[in-house]
């Protein structure tokens, strides 16, 4: 890829062909405020916060404008500051600023931009609160949608179109009444939404938020145990419980995507029905036993069968190592090739 | 004189059709059977308030407000006995003078009708009528030219986009012509959404072939094979006539494969818009044709490079295309001679508001607002004082009397804080509250904002809320500054033209009528005596006690004995103005006061104890 | 899969047959939809109007069980219209003439009759598949779960070879493997006819190799398949059954037959994370650690061996499966089971499994490796059959049309087919997640409006679905997703155990039961 240089606020930086001004700035740790930009998605220039001055031309949307060799980009000027300030003040007046109880408070782009611009409460005086009280859609078991916190950045809508390829979300109404919604403005679960949560992970504020948010203490990477796609997952762990999931963006299988099962469907792990101790059936009833007792019993019993009398069903859910050991046991110890699994089902 | 061949033209534009002109046509056709008379219908004449309009040629007699029952009279008197029906002849609303012949009517005399050249003259559903007036002659000539020559002609003509932006048309054509790509599109913007505007509709209904011809020439010039007309679905008649015109053009070889044996293929489809004002914005229009919610896209890239389906796309307004055949036929020099140095050709306006002659007009660029309003429009209705004129649709600016001698061209209007727009022109009189006007227009743009970008979506609502507060008595010191700050932020911050221009009515009214804002905020007064919160009605001594006001008051706030002075109970009055309307003009004993409210004592809360 | 998941992005044509991809392989489904947005042409062939149809340019709704006729029809059209890749066929394939001859019976009239699809439509998609390259085929159990499933697979392979759509990026024949590690279970010898790495049990050289490696005498005879095992229990041959994480009582076709076998077998051991419907029958149940509680590797559908890690400690006293079996072997006095970690097992896998020869934990730490990967320096294999087929020449297989084992009659006038819900996998895990259960909590018998009208059934009504093997009850969902004459159920719900009525008739080679086609009748019940 061809590289070239240009300047941002007087600092010479190197960019690659195809980079937007914002890409290049962010890659060089130069912050330009934005709310509707997302690296996975096509830019739309809706929030109007990332405007910069290019060779003296004001309000060029840095998210949508390719960086060009030799240009002089200014990330701030009185006119740009004014436009950003007005846009942010407007957003704040239209937003449910219940930040203390907001799930996104520790990672809210609205607060981040507001802090960057130094918006002070007293400067909002004279603006009229537009506070609308729209119903929260909590129909989905895993996440909820609070339109009162929505800033209409469109990231969820674009995610569903561009990443999921589904298009379950769109815009409803016009003007200030515009809201994100499903076809016919039904609840998420009554729409074609597949609950994959791709939109939830990308929401820059607390509008689309998981219902059971918990902060992980550490993350461990593994592979999803549902289908054969083999998506990479980072499990967030707190204590000895899984509290969150995050798709592995490096995994060639899923490149940062997950489905509903892979993102949310792991509550079975801590289900009270889990077997936690060996069981031996005595008089038709299962009785808990020690590992030693159960292993000895099975070893003794199996010694009575050999060759065709024995059969094993191994598991397509288990690891390669598990399967190898089971088939070796069947062949080498039990003397039969009668081992199979549900590959055909 | 019965043997004289006559043609009776019945207007069947949308306005006249809704006033039963099709039935009038049918009745006329029946009545003139056996006579040497051809009855045919035409598109709009532009003076819709005079409709249904019937014109008799060759005498050029202009009958207005024709009713079905007038048909026998016209036939008996005029056709059979050569006597013009005086009663039906056009009457000047200001002078009350009867003006029988079409071209003597001042409304038309001062106009220069290029785009509207065939409107009211031809049967828009009959291509032969159009061909008789040289339709498609320009196409024939264009096909003999090189595409670059066509673009050069358009450039030289100085034609600028008639949708309002005023971008040089030739330049746009050149960009699209030069854009790389095998597939290109020609789009016609017929999504005329400004309230009260019907310029494009009249052209489409009255002379659809002019638009088609312009598009075909454009297609040839930029090497496109497909054109789309994006027409709002609220224009069923325009769509119907366009469809008929497209089919007739195909039959005559002006559309389809190998047009006029030139080897050039081009066809046109109509796309129905779904009633969103913002779809008149070019990128929103393109997005809508692609099947998505009509929301504008950031520019660049411009449609000339990445338009419909990502292909180079030429998008012009209806009137822009309608000008093209004339430029090709008469030459760019002829066109460039009309108008001003930087604004060539004519401008079409829908003249409305408090004006004597409202209607559709076409004037050379450079005439002054005064000429339009007074000479063509006949001045202000009911001899009231002129207060302001708004040009450019809902996001144009309001210009005061001091700008009446401003020439109407793209640059002068921008300089004054307004714009040409697509051609709306609203005249306001002394009874108009300019703060309320700003609120009214913002109410429109706020509701039509697509919701995509922050400044437009929330900013117009924020401004609207402040304006509503001001006209309803909740204005606060600092509101004017806040409005100006918001307006500037929205203008530079918004994604598309809708947001970028939406603050214009607010900015211009603050600029030219700041005292009215201040009166509302600081003096509890509405100088135009329109805002209910600030006015009160009072009956003065001249009252003759006729009781009309008392009987008409919807809330029984008026009391008084017959033939005695009446009185309005201010506590009950809802400022509906009914009394003011019904008070006999000769008596005129009702006054409207404003700015008095603050003197009333605040109600005191009484604590009652047992 | 012959090719890789990432190659979907660059495909010209994506031909999806017998796969409800967005439900069963959602992330691949997403990727296909994304590809379609970026210009790829998706062709869906399915008896049901699956969700992916919304992103597809072409949809062939053929009759259940008519895949061979459809695919052979496409092949015929391609040859008749000279759209085949003659160079590829000449250089890389064999037996083309015999295959071409076998197309003779597949006349347009015959194909239309069998598939219920017009020749024009078939020709249209055949042309797209042949010309809009690179073209890839994706299939799943809609292709394999038939008595002629092997023929179906061969038919897809024939089509790919015919157009040269194999051995190149973004092409190939790509079975989407169902379970997370069904690929690995097959790769590592979880099959009755092959040792790890598809080394044939009946090949004396292989037998000798493994006898040497494992220090034990081995049987040179193929073992029994899944379905045959239950028959063998019934006939008394198999007396002891060891089940690792399997739930045949719910998932086996003709599940009643399997349930009786579980009841009958002398000694039954189950390793499970839950006391499943099948584990209930066991004599001894070992609590297994879940995938999140153990180390190891899974191999995904694109043959990528990926690292599974212990995220949390095993719940209670549960243990990894490999450990449990190792303990039993040791208790039985076996020597070859001294593994202390799964890494030790992988070392042994490397030594005896050529396709896994170079796949070590160290190398799969980050993004895994795609087999074949014979040695430590091999970079893995993105797509198979590059330059040359694994077996040398690509072998065209002449095919004949065979009807499904059960066809409709007066008593059983409808066809029942099965598929997966997006919200469940089989049942054990997903039914125990509160959210998935909330999103999809009961079986729905999907049935076409015209059939529903005939039967007087409306959405939400309870119906009984009966086949020659039994009856299940569930609510109906009247939907045009099914074609007339077809109804569809999932198999996730023990309350409505669909597999009690599916047909266990087997494909003679792959031994896969025909769960995709069973003759049934539907009756409204109150």
């Amino acid at each position: 890829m061809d590289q070239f240089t240009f300047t941002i606020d007087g600092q010479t930086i190197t960019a690659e062909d195809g980079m937007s001004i914002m890409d290049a700035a962010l890659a060089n740790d130069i912050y330009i405020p934005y709310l509707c930009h997302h690296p996975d998605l096509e830019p739309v220039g809706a929030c109007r916060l990332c405007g910069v001055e290019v060779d003296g031309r004001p309000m060029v949307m840095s998210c949508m404008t390719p960086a060009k060799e030799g240009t002089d980009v200014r990330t701030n000027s009185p006119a740009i500051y004014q436009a950003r300030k007005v846009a942010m003040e407007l957003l704040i007046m239209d937003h449910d600023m219940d930040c203390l109880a907001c799930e996104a408070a520790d990672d809210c782009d609205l607060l981040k931009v507001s802090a960057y611009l130094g918006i002070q409460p007293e400067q909002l005086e004279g603006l009229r609160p537009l506070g609308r009280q729209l119903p929260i859609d909590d129909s989905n078991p895993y996440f909820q949608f609070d339109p009162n916190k929505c800033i209409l950045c469109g990231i969820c809508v674009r995610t569903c179109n561009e990443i999921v390829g589904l298009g379950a979300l769109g815009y409803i109404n016009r003007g200030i009444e515009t809201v994100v919604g499903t076809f016919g403005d039904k609840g998420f679960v009554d729409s074609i939404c597949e609950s994959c949560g791709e939109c939830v992970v990308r929401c820059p504020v607390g509008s689309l938020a998981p219902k059971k948010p918990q902060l992980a203490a550490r993350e461990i990477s593994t592979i999803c145990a549902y289908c054969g796609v083999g998506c990479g997952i980072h499990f967030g762990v707190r204590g000895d419980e899984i509290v969150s999931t995050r798709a592995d963006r490096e995994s060639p299988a899923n490149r940062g995507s997950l489905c509903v099962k892979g993102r949310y469907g792991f509550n079975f792990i801590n289900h009270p029905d889990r077997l936690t101790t060996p069981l031996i059936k005595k008089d038709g009833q299962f009785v808990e036993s020690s590992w030693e007792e159960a292993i000895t019993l099975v070893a003794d019993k199996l010694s009575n069968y050999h060759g065709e009398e024995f059969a094993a069903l191994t598991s397509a859910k288990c690891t390669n190592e598990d399967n190898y050991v089971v088939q070796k046991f069947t062949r080498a110890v039990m003397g039969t090739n009668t081992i199979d699994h549900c590959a055909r089902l | 004189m019965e043997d004289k061949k006559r043609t009776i033209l019945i207007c069947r534009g949308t306005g006249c059709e809704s006033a039963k002109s099709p039935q009038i046509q049918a009745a006329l056709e029946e009545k003139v059977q056996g006579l040497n008379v051809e009855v045919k219908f035409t598109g709009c004449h532009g003076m819709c308030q005079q409709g249904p309009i019937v014109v008799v040629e060759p005498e050029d007699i202009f009958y207005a407000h024709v009713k079905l029952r007038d048909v026998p009279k016209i036939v008996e008197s005029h056709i059979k006995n050569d006597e013009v029906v005086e009663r039906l002849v056009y009457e000047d609303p200001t002078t009350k003078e009867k003006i029988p012949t079409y071209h003597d009517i001042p409304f038309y005399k001062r106009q220069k009708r290029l785009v509207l050249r065939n409107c009211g003259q031809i049967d828009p559903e009959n291509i032969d009528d159009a061909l008789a007036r040289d339709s498609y002659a320009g196409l024939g000539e264009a096909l003999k030219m090189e595409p670059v020559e066509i673009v050069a002609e358009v450039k030289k003509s100085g034609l600028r986009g008639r949708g309002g932006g005023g971008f040089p048309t030739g330049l746009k054509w050149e960009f699209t012509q030069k854009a790389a790509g095998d597939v290109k599109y020609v789009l016609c913007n017929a999504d005329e959404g400004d309230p009260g505007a019907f310029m494009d509709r009249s052209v489409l209904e009255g002379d659809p072939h002019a638009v088609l011809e312009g598009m075909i020439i454009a297609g040839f010039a930029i090497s496109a094979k497909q054109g789309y007309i994006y027409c709002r679905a609220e224009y069923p008649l325009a769509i119907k006539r366009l469809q008929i015109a497209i089919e007739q053009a195909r039959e005559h070889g002006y559309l389809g494969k190998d047009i006029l044996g030139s080897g050039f293929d081009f066809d046109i489809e109509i796309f129905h818009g779904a009633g969103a004002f913002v779809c008149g914005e070019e990128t929103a229009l393109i997005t809508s044709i692609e099947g998505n919610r009509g929301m504008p896209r950031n520019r660049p890239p411009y449609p000339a490079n990445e338009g419909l389906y990502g292909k180079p796309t030429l998008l012009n307004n209806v009137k822009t295309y309608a000008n093209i055949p004339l430029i090709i036929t008469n030459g760019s020099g002829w066109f460039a001679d009309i108008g001003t140095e930087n604004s060539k050709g004519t401008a079409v306006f829908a003249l409305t508001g408090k004006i004597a002659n409202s209607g559709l007009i076409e004037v050379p660029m450079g005439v002054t607002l005064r000429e339009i309003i007074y000479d063509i429009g006949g001045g202000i209705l009911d001899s009231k004082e002129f207060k302001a004129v708004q040009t450019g649709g809902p996001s144009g600016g309001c210009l005061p009397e001091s700008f009446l001698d401003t020439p109407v061209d793209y640059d002068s209007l921008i300089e004054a804080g307004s714009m040409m727009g697509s051609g709306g022109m609203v005249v306001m009189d002394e009874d108009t509250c300019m703060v309320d006007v700003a609120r009214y227009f913002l109410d429109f743009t706020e509701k039509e904002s697509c919701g995509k970008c922050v400044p437009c979506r929330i900013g117009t609502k924020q401004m609207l809320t402040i304006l509503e507060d001001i006209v309803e008595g909740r204005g606060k010191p600092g509101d004017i500054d806040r409005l100006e700050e918001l307006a500037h932020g929205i203008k530079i911050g918004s994604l598309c033209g809708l947001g970028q221009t939406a603050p214009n009515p607010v900015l211009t009214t603050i600029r030219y009528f700041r005292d009215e804002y201040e009166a509302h905020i600081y003096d509890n007064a509405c100088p135009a005596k329109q805002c209910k919160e600030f006015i009160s009605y009072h009956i003065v001594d001249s009252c003759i006690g006729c009781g009309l006001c008392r009987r008409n008051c919807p809330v029984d706030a008026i009391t008084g004995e017959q033939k005695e002075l009446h009185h309005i109970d201010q506590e009950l009055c809802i400022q509906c103005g009914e009394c003011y309307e019904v008070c006999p003009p000769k008596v005129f004993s009702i006054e409207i006061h404003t700015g008095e409210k603050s003197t009333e004592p605040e109600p005191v809360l009484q604590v009652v104890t047992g | 899969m012959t090719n890789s998941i990432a190659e979907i992005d660059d495909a010209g044509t994506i031909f999806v047959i017998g796969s409800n991809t967005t439900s069963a392989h959602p992330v691949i489904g997403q990727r296909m939809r994304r590809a379609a947005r970026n210009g790829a042409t998706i062709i869906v062939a399915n008896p049901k109007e699956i969700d992916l149809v919304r992103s597809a340019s072409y949809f062939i709704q053929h009759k259940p069980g008519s895949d061979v006729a459809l695919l052979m029809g496409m092949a015929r059209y391609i040859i008749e219209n000279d759209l085949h890749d003659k160079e590829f066929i000449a250089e890389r394939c064999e037996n083309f003439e015999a295959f071409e001859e076998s197309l003779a019976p597949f006349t347009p009239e015959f194909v239309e009759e069998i598939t219920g699809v017009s020749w024009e439509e078939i020709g249209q998609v055949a042309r797209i598949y042949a010309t809009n390259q690179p073209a890839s085929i994706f299939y799943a159990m809609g292709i394999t779960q038939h008595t002629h499933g092997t023929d179906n697979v061969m038919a897809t392979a024939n089509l790919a070879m015919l157009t040269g759509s194999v051995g190149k990026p973004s092409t190939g024949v790509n079975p989407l493997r169902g379970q997370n590690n069904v690929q690995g279970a097959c790769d590592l010898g979880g099959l009755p006819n092959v040792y790890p790495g598809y080394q044939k049990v009946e090949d004396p050289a292989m037998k000798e190799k493994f006898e040497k490696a494992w220090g034990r005498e081995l049987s040179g005879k193929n073992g029994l398949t899944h379905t045959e095992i239950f028959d063998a229990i019934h006939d008394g041959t198999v007396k002891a059954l060891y089940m690792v994480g399997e739930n045949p009582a719910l998932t086996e076709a003709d599940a009643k037959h399997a349930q009786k076998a579980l009841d009958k077998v002398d000694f039954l051991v189950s390793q499970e994370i839950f006391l499943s419907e099948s584990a209930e029958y066991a004599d001894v149940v070992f609590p297994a650690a879940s995938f999140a509680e153990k180390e190891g590797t899974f191999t995904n559908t694109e043959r990528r061996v990926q690292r599974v890690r212990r995220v949390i400690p095993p719940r209670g006293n549960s243990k990894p499966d490999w450990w449990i079996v190792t303990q039993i072997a040791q208790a039985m006095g076996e020597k070859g089971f001294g593994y202390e970690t799964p890494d030790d097992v992988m070392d042994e896998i490397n030594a005896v499994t050529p396709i896994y020869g170079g796949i070590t934990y160290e190398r799969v730490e980050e993004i895994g490796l795609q087999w074949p990967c014979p040695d430590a320096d091999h970079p893995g294999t993105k797509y198979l059959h590059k330059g040359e087929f694994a077996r040398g020449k690509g072998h065209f297989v002449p095919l004949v049309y065979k009807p499904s084992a059960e066809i409709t009659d007066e008593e059983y006038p409808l066809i029942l087919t099965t598929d997966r819900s997006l919200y469940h996998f089989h049942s054990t895990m997903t039914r125990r997640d509160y959210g998935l259960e909330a999103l999809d909590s009961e079986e729905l018998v999907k049935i076409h409006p015209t059939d529903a009208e005939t039967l007087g059934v409306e959405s939400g009504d309870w119906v009984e679905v009966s086949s020659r093997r039994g009856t299940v009850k569930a609510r109906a969902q009247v939907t045009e997703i099914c074609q007339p004459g077809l109804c569809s159920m999932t198999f996730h719900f023990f309350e409505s155990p669909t597999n009690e009525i599916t047909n266990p008739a087997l494909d003679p080679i792959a031994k896969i039961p025909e769960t995709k086609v069973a003759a049934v009748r539907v009756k409204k019940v109150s």
Side-chain angles (χ1 to χ4, degrees), chain C residues 226-503:
Chain C
H226 208 286
T227 317
E228 288 167 341
I229 289 170
F230 294 99
D231 293 339
I233 293 171
H234 282 292
D235 73 21
T237 320
V238 168
K239 296 188 170 66
L241 178 61
Y242 199 108
M243 296 190 302
V244 180
E246 286 278 279
N247 191 10
L250 196 62
T251 58
E252 190 77 5
D254 194 2
K256 278 262 185 330
H257 182 74
Q259 290 159 18
K260 282 180 201 148
L262 294 177
D263 200 32
K264 180 175 179 202
V265 72
D266 279 3
F267 186 60
L268 179 63
V269 183
S270 174
Q271 291 181 191
E272 254 298 0
I273 59 170
F274 294 106
L275 195 61
S276 69
E277 289 80 358
S278 305
E280 293 274 7
Y281 292 90
D283 296 288
V284 179
V285 179
F286 289 117
S290 79
F291 81 106
E293 298 152 10
K294 62 185 175 186
E295 303 283 342
T297 55
F298 288 157
T299 305
N300 78 349
T301 187
E302 59 171 354
R303 297 167 281 102
R304 184 181 300 278
V305 183
Q306 307 192 97
R307 193 69 166 74
V308 174
R309 293 185 183 82
R310 190 175 116 142
V311 178
I312 48 174
R315 307 287 94 166
N317 245 327
S318 61
K319 299 283 186 191
D321 292 288
W322 66 269
W323 183 89
I324 302 169
V325 177
T326 300
Q327 294 305 303
I328 295 167
Q330 286 176 0
M332 290 171 78
E334 293 294 327
K335 295 253 177 309
F337 290 80
Y339 318 112
E340 291 190 356
T341 64
D343 207 352
D344 297 342
V345 181
M346 188 52 95
D347 285 344
E348 189 174 318
I349 292 173
N350 296 153
V352 300
T353 317
I355 56 173
Y356 276 62
I359 296 177
T360 62
Y361 277 22
E362 208 177 15
R363 293 188 70 198
V364 300
E365 185 64 24
E366 297 294 331
I367 59 165
L369 269 173
Q370 284 171 287
W371 67 257
C373 177
D375 57 61
D377 298 321
H378 194 282
T381 307
K382 270 187 68 163
Y383 57 93
L384 304 177
H385 314 306
K386 184 183 181 180
E388 193 183 30
F389 283 95
R391 66 182 296 278
K393 292 270 187 185
H395 189 79
F396 276 101
V397 181
L399 295 171
V400 295
Y401 167 72
K402 297 169 195 145
S404 300
E406 265 188 2
I407 49 173
T408 53
D409 55 24
E410 267 180 32
E411 199 179 349
Y412 299 103
L414 296 170
I415 292 293
L416 171 72
T417 191
T418 61
D419 73 352
R420 283 198 168 103
S421 154
L422 167 64
Y423 302 101
H424 292 288
F425 199 81
H426 271 175
S427 58
T428 316
M429 290 149 63
T430 51
R431 290 294 308 276
R432 288 182 173 89
D433 183 283
Y434 70 90
L436 296 172
E437 183 67 5
L439 288 164
D440 186 5
S441 54
E442 67 170 335
E443 182 62 62
L444 290 173
V445 183
K446 288 156 210 83
I447 186 164
H448 190 272
T450 55
D451 296 323
E453 204 187 326
T454 315
L455 297 163
V457 171
E458 287 175 21
S459 282
D461 287 351
W462 283 96
V463 292
E464 272 179 6
V465 186
S466 311
S467 76
R468 291 179 173 84
R469 290 155 294 280
T471 296
V472 294
K473 231 172 100 171
R475 272 187 222 270
Q477 181 188 14
V478 179
T479 164
E480 289 182 354
I481 286 169
C482 286
Q483 53 179 272
L486 180 71
C487 55
S488 176
M489 297 174 74
T490 72
F491 48 86
H492 309 303
F493 302 94
F494 65 87
E495 302 90 338
S496 310
T498 309
N499 276 319
E500 290 187 4
I501 58 172
T502 50
N503 191 354

Side-chain angles (χ1 to χ4, degrees), chain B residues 142 145-155 173 217 220-221 328:
Chain B
M145 296 162 73
E146 289 295 321
V148 282
E149 290 175 326
I150 298 174
V151 172
E153 273 297 285
V154 177
K155 267 176 89 172
W173 287 36
I217 294 170
F220 181 68
I328 298 297

